[in-house]
Amino acid sequence: MKVMFVCAGGMSTAMTAKKLQEVADKNDVEMTVKAFGTSDYLKELKKDNYDVLLVAPQIRHRFDVIKESANKFDGLVVEKIPPNMYAPMEPIVKKLFNFIMEKVNNK
Amino acid sequence: MMDKFMVWLDEKFSTPMAKLAEQRHLRAVRDGIVATLPIIIVGSFFLILAYPPVPKDSAVALWAAENIVKILLPYRLTMYIMSLYASWGIGYSLSKSYNLDGVSGGNLAVVAFLMTIIPQVADEIGWALPMANLGGSGMFVAIVTSIFAVEIMRLLSKTKFKITMPEQVPSSVARSFEALTPTAVVVILMTIISVVLEFDWHGFIAKVMAPLISTSDTIFGVLFPVILITLFWSAGIHGVSVVGSVARPVWTVLLDANTAAAAEGAKVLPHIAPEPFYQWFIWLGGSGATIGLVLLLAFVSKSKYSKTLGRTALAPGLFNINEPLIFGAPIVLNPILIIPFVLAPLVNAVVSYVVMSLELVARPYILAPWTLPGPIGAYLATGGDWKAIVLNLVCIVLSVIIYYPFFKMYDNKQLELEQIEKAV
């Protein structure tokens, strides 16, 4: 499963992304997680087949614009990261991991 | 009461206000100006080279003084004419947002903007374009004319009054033909306004914007955006990104005026509060001046969670990235931590503003990358004033002091929770 995070600059999400990758590894789920800024995510979506696009909470006011722009990618799950699941610490990222698995399985 | 405030902050204030900043034209202006930042950053660094922070009689300083015109050339062709670049970016972004051709939109915006400046004939070199209004002082004209150009393009694209090519024509060729009508209309209209009616775009808009520009450089003009930005972040929304959409053009004008004065060798710069002022003397460790909190968490906390959080957030915090802290503590909608999160930047702002109005520390005029550690950024932003490092360190200490009582409450609460968990 390929997951992309998008935040303002792609820097703060990179840390949470790395942690999420570790949690997924521990749970034996194959997951690659990458983080990009709002100026790059579309280009990256075109390059690779992503399954999930997660929008960081601090730019949730841009969610509608991002979701619309990602409409053309078939089967891409686009979600906001809930604010209480967004920090590069194990217990918090675990919640995020479960959140993603639930969204993907219910799609 | 605090609960009610949190609900208001989350539902009534931050999300609706942030959505406003996503308005199409504001977004285009934001993206257009943000796209010029690399040009501004690289360009402004040539000023350090021109006025190196070394003794005036040293060999390096003497060499720089002798070659100053040449050393400043890269600056003159980048930051000094940044509105030209911004104009293209605004036109591109806005036309893309309308699903029109971005390249045509960008070009048309530049045409409209350039037509506000009347070329002159100079002896020996022939036609020349005066550069002064292509820089930050022309920013608002660039915004107005770029939007104007793209709106004309959009209006015409909806009418039948356009040239459409048969489908067999390659799309790049078709596009350039489609841009013919809007280009003709924009050029004719701009000629009538600027040449026939001799409308002084730059004089007029400078007069209209003057009160806003001068207010933004007062202490209230600094505290107001600081309060807004910290309130947005308190609800978990990127405050600088939202407020910056509206404020950045103004900050850019202030920065350009300072840089231009510095390039002329001025001792005291005209403005205190272009964006680097916020970056290096208010947002220590990120929005909310959280450097104090992150240091306390990392080094003096007792609870396990605080310690882990502090260690995780310390390294990014030194480079002014504090989302791990904002969402990890969390500060978001946390009635205890929001208080210092708003208060610490306000105190830093007042202290730094006073110190700079007394001319004890040089005023910022160089845009250094925001991920540099505070003292280094402060030193570069002021063109190499060592006293800026001292001021930056003072602000860090203030942040620690202001966060301390609230950190204590937070840490004790975590400790309590951990003991309850253990007992169960």
Side-chain angles (χ1 to χ4, degrees):
Chain A
M1 173 160 43
K2 276 182 176 266
V3 179
M4 186 194 290
F5 282 13
V6 52
C7 74
M11 265 177 273
S12 68
T13 17
M15 288 178 280
T16 311
K18 201 173 147 230
K19 203 83 202 171
L20 178 63
Q21 179 111 44
E22 286 172 27
V23 171
D25 287 345
K26 272 187 201 162
N27 286 280
D28 289 325
V29 173
E30 205 204 310
M31 196 187 268
T32 45
V33 192
K34 286 190 176 162
F36 295 101
T38 43
S39 49
D40 298 321
Y41 77 99
L42 267 184
K43 211 168 48 198
E44 297 294 331
L45 279 177
K46 277 177 204 155
K47 268 194 212 158
D48 227 330
N49 272 327
Y50 282 89
D51 304 287
V52 185
L53 178 67
L54 293 172
V55 179
Q58 71 268 34
I59 57 162
R60 62 177 181 269
H61 53 285
R62 294 199 205 169
F63 181 75
D64 294 343
V65 177
I66 293 174
K67 186 164 175 133
E68 202 190 306
S69 70
N71 260 346
K72 58 184 169 208
F73 300 99
D74 280 338
L76 181 70
V77 178
V78 187
E79 287 290 339
K80 287 183 229 185
I81 303 177
N84 62 345
M85 301 181 191
Y86 183 67
M89 312 205 7
E90 182 120 3
I92 295 176
V93 174
K94 247 185 204 148
K95 280 196 271 182
L96 178 62
F97 174 74
N98 294 334
F99 172 83
I100 296 170
M101 297 311 286
E102 192 192 304
K103 292 289 174 194
V104 170
N105 293 333
N106 289 347
K107 119 180 142 176
Chain B
M1 214 218 46
M2 213 55 193
D3 287 344
K4 264 195 192 151
F5 176 67
M6 292 297 135
V7 172
W8 174 84
L9 191 62
D10 189 27
E11 291 171 8
K12 296 270 152 45
F13 170 76
S14 64
T15 315
M17 291 273 283
K19 281 214 168 116
L20 277 185
E22 284 305 288
Q23 192 274 342
R24 185 190 302 273
H25 298 92
L26 283 178
R27 213 167 65 204
V29 170
R30 177 190 68 207
D31 293 347
I33 294 182
V34 166
T36 65
L37 289 184
I39 296 173
I40 296 180
I41 290 176
V42 174
S44 70
F45 267 84
F46 282 88
L47 283 162
I48 302 188
L49 222 65
Y51 297 100
V54 292
K56 287 216 160 39
D57 46 6
S58 66
V60 178
L62 290 174
W63 171 83
E66 215 165 276
N67 296 292
I68 192 147
V69 173
K70 278 187 186 164
I71 297 173
L72 283 181
L73 266 186
Y75 154 74
R76 298 270 180 223
L77 293 171
T78 51
M79 180 174 181
Y80 191 67
I81 54 170
M82 63 181 161
S83 293
L84 182 61
Y85 301 107
S87 151
W88 198 89
I90 295 167
Y92 176 86
S93 310
L94 187 58
S95 43
K96 284 287 254 191
S97 83
Y98 284 128
N99 277 326
L100 297 167
D101 180 45
V103 175
S104 305
N107 286 344
L108 202 53
V110 171
V111 168
F113 176 52
L114 283 181
M115 290 194 74
T116 64
I117 296 167
I118 309 293
Q120 312 283 330
V121 183
D123 289 339
E124 303 197 1
I125 55 167
W127 287 99
L129 200 62
M131 289 163 80
N133 286 329
L134 292 173
S137 58
M139 187 58 83
F140 285 99
V141 175
I143 291 172
V144 171
T145 51
S146 304
I147 291 177
F148 171 75
V150 175
E151 286 302 327
I152 295 225
M153 187 172 153
R154 179 175 73 100
L155 278 177
L156 292 173
S157 76
K158 287 204 287 197
T159 60
K160 283 183 194 144
F161 191 60
K162 63 173 178 188
I163 300 168
T164 332
M165 286 281 132
E167 270 176 43
Q168 299 88 314
V169 176
S171 67
S172 58
V173 178
R175 265 206 319 251
S176 66
F177 271 97
E178 275 159 26
L180 266 181
T181 325
T183 307
V185 172
V186 167
V187 168
I188 291 168
L189 283 178
M190 289 304 292
T191 307
I192 291 173
I193 300 171
S194 309
V195 182
V196 180
L197 302 176
E198 291 186 10
F199 176 66
D200 178 10
W201 284 91
H202 294 273
F204 176 75
I205 291 193
K207 221 178 250 167
V208 174
M209 299 308 294
L212 183 65
I213 305 282
S214 54
T215 309
S216 72
D217 199 38
T218 63
I219 183 72
F220 298 104
V222 170
L223 296 183
F224 183 59
V226 167
I227 291 174
L228 280 182
I229 288 169
T230 46
L231 284 181
F232 272 116
W233 268 120
S234 302
I237 282 182
H238 200 305
V240 178
S241 151
V242 173
V243 175
S245 303
V246 182
R248 189 157 293 117
V250 178
W251 290 335
T252 315
V253 173
L254 297 182
L255 182 70
D256 177 70
N258 272 9
T259 315
E264 301 304 324
K267 283 233 162 57
V268 178
L269 303 178
H271 301 296
I272 293 176
E275 202 170 358
F277 175 75
Y278 294 79
Q279 185 57 53
W280 307 113
F281 304 102
I282 300 179
W283 305 136
L284 293 307
S287 299
T290 51
I291 190 74
L293 180 60
V294 88
L295 290 171
L296 289 166
L297 287 170
F299 298 115
V300 286
S301 61
K302 297 212 168 70
S303 78
K304 219 175 133 207
Y305 187 80
S306 304
K307 247 183 231 161
T308 326
L309 175 66
R311 278 172 200 163
T312 312
L314 180 62
L318 294 178
F319 300 94
N320 308 310
I321 296 169
N322 62 353
E323 280 91 342
L325 199 61
I326 291 180
F327 293 99
I331 294 171
V332 176
L333 300 183
N334 178 333
I336 299 174
L337 291 179
I338 282 179
I339 298 171
F341 188 79
V342 178
L343 194 62
L346 287 179
V347 172
N348 282 338
V350 172
V351 170
S352 303
Y353 192 93
V354 170
V355 166
M356 284 191 191
S357 27
L358 295 175
E359 293 167 22
L360 297 175
V361 171
R363 298 169 181 183
Y365 66 96
I366 285 171
L367 202 58
W370 64 268
T371 45
L372 286 173
I376 300 174
Y379 181 72
L380 290 176
T382 51
D385 183 6
W386 64 268
K387 287 178 293 230
I389 300 179
V390 178
L391 178 58
N392 185 278
L393 294 173
V394 167
C395 289
I396 293 175
V397 172
L398 283 174
S399 164
V400 173
I401 295 170
I402 294 166
Y403 270 100
Y404 184 75
F406 301 94
F407 152 76
K408 259 316 201 196
M409 286 200 266
Y410 173 83
D411 192 34
N412 286 340
K413 208 171 135 198
Q414 294 296 335
L415 208 59
E416 221 173 89
L417 286 175
E418 278 164 22
Q419 272 155 1
I420 293 171
E421 227 168 76
K422 237 190 217 163
V424 176

